[in-house]
Amino acid sequence: MLGKKWGAVALALALLLSLLVLPAGAAGEIGVTIDGNAVVYDDGYGRPFLDSAGRTQVPFRLTMESFGCTVDWDNDTRTAIAEKDNTRVEVPIGQAYLLVNGKRVAMDTTAQIVNTRTYLPIRPVMEAFGASVTWDQENLLVEITTGSSLVRVHFLDVGQGDSILIDCGETEVLIDGGTNGAGDEVVSYLNGYVDGPLEYVIATHPDADHVGGLDAVLEAFEVKEVIDSGRSADTDTYRDYWAAVQAEGCTVSAGADRIIALSPLAALSILETGDDWADSNDCSVICQLTCGNIQVLFTGDMSQQVEQKLLPLFADVDVLKVGHHGSATSSSASFLSVVKPEAAVISYGQDNAYGHPARETLQRLFNVGAAVYGTGKSGTIVLTTDGWTYSFNTSQVLTLADAGA
């Protein structure tokens, strides 16, 4: 009798769960496209459905393999694993987070097992790989976009330093290379994205946490042009960097005003801030990426005195790479009131000796309504834009509790 009772319960549960997964051809069935190509689901693989949080869940294996991932399953931890290029995403069943290259990223729903099949929430997983995810309500269609039509900005986790890759189709720009110790890591990351030569390397200023890894980059890749601040430093790190530039034999230019076309949709503007500042931080090469209607401003280690003097150079942007790792000496209230970022990214090392990011800097960013992300908390952060909208591969934002000591 007990066996029959539990059999009836199991059957009832199976019937209830089956209502969540619509049969082929049913009205209201959710579709998924990747770069315009429909993912073909069936009863064998399972079908997308909306979970109790209103999020689209998709069959794990078919969806991720259609996206070009290799997939795996860890039965001990009940974790779905997908890998592509240099990104590894682990999604534990029933947990409101995923792991992106080992860093925890919060989600507002969880992966599920339904009718013995594994389902993943599609938006956070795809955004972890740098894809753009949109929802077409009229057609009940999830549209995933990748490829050369998108521009991605990778804020690399290099500890206490800066390294940023702008990937625009077949054109790549690297801004800084972190410390000496980060050089091999930066090269390894770039290998997944640089196709052919690395068109531009920007050395914002000669500090070791910005140019330290660039000698390794210059040795590993054919670099077409180095854009340099024009300042030098009496350090072995700088000498190694400059020797690598000379050995490369590439074009070397100063950070003067210019506009570099990256694609029909995107351009990088170099903003001249002057070379006569006493502190080399203030001579940082400043640049702004414009992709369609989206603007991203990169400020090196620029301090408040430069911000104030050159305030007329700046305007409203969507995303700000926060100056000097979130130091209290950068990102003044008057500067932020002009650039008005919706989002900001701080590159810093967890528990660094400098107290970055500063509590007062975070507060000033919050005061202008910016959502603030940090590599010390989230690891490498990827911004993806199609020129009209943008998204990040993490929803984990900084709070005042993340301020340095």
Side-chain angles (χ1 to χ4, degrees), residues 56-58 60-61 64 69-83 87-113 118-129:
T56 302
Q57 298 271 348
V58 295
F60 161 56
R61 182 172 296 276
M64 301 316 298
C69 292
T70 58
V71 300
D72 200 0
W73 169 258
D74 186 329
N75 198 51
D76 292 336
T77 60
R78 288 168 54 81
T79 298
I81 303 166
E83 294 186 80
T87 301
R88 176 184 173 93
V89 177
E90 302 169 69
V91 192
I93 300 299
Q95 303 295 324
Y97 67 86
L98 50 76
L99 299 173
V100 183
N101 292 334
K103 290 282 187 175
R104 182 178 292 208
V105 178
M107 303 190 295
D108 58 4
T109 188
T110 66
Q112 303 180 20
I113 301 290
T118 302
Y119 288 82
L120 305 183
I122 192 167
R123 180 179 293 276
V125 174
M126 289 301 181
E127 288 181 348
F129 285 102

Side-chain angles (χ1 to χ4, degrees), residues 182-245:
D184 290 343
E185 183 180 349
V186 172
V187 168
S188 177
Y189 192 93
L190 294 182
N191 278 327
Y193 299 96
V194 175
D195 30 32
L198 175 55
E199 280 76 14
Y200 300 95
V201 168
I202 298 176
T204 60
H205 63 295
D207 283 5
D209 58 331
H210 292 255
V211 301
L214 288 183
D215 56 342
V217 171
L218 286 156
E219 291 167 9
F221 297 96
E222 177 190 352
V223 175
K224 291 295 188 181
E225 181 175 349
V226 171
I227 301 172
D228 186 274
S229 69
R231 292 293 288 266
S232 62
D234 186 18
T235 64
D236 288 341
T237 297
Y238 176 78
R239 283 187 283 271
D240 288 344
Y241 151 72
W242 190 245
V245 172

Side-chain angles (χ1 to χ4, degrees), residues 242-294:
W242 190 245
V245 172
Q246 299 300 109
E248 186 71 17
C250 60
T251 300
V252 181
S253 58
D257 285 336
R258 63 187 285 196
I259 297 176
I260 301 169
L262 303 180
S263 77
L265 185 65
L268 189 69
S269 301
I270 308 297
L271 306 177
E272 175 61 66
T273 60
D275 300 322
D276 55 351
W277 300 98
D279 191 330
S280 62
N281 283 339
D282 290 333
C283 298
S284 293
V285 178
I286 309 302
C287 52
Q288 181 169 314
L289 172 68
T290 299
C291 179
N293 295 318
I294 304 300

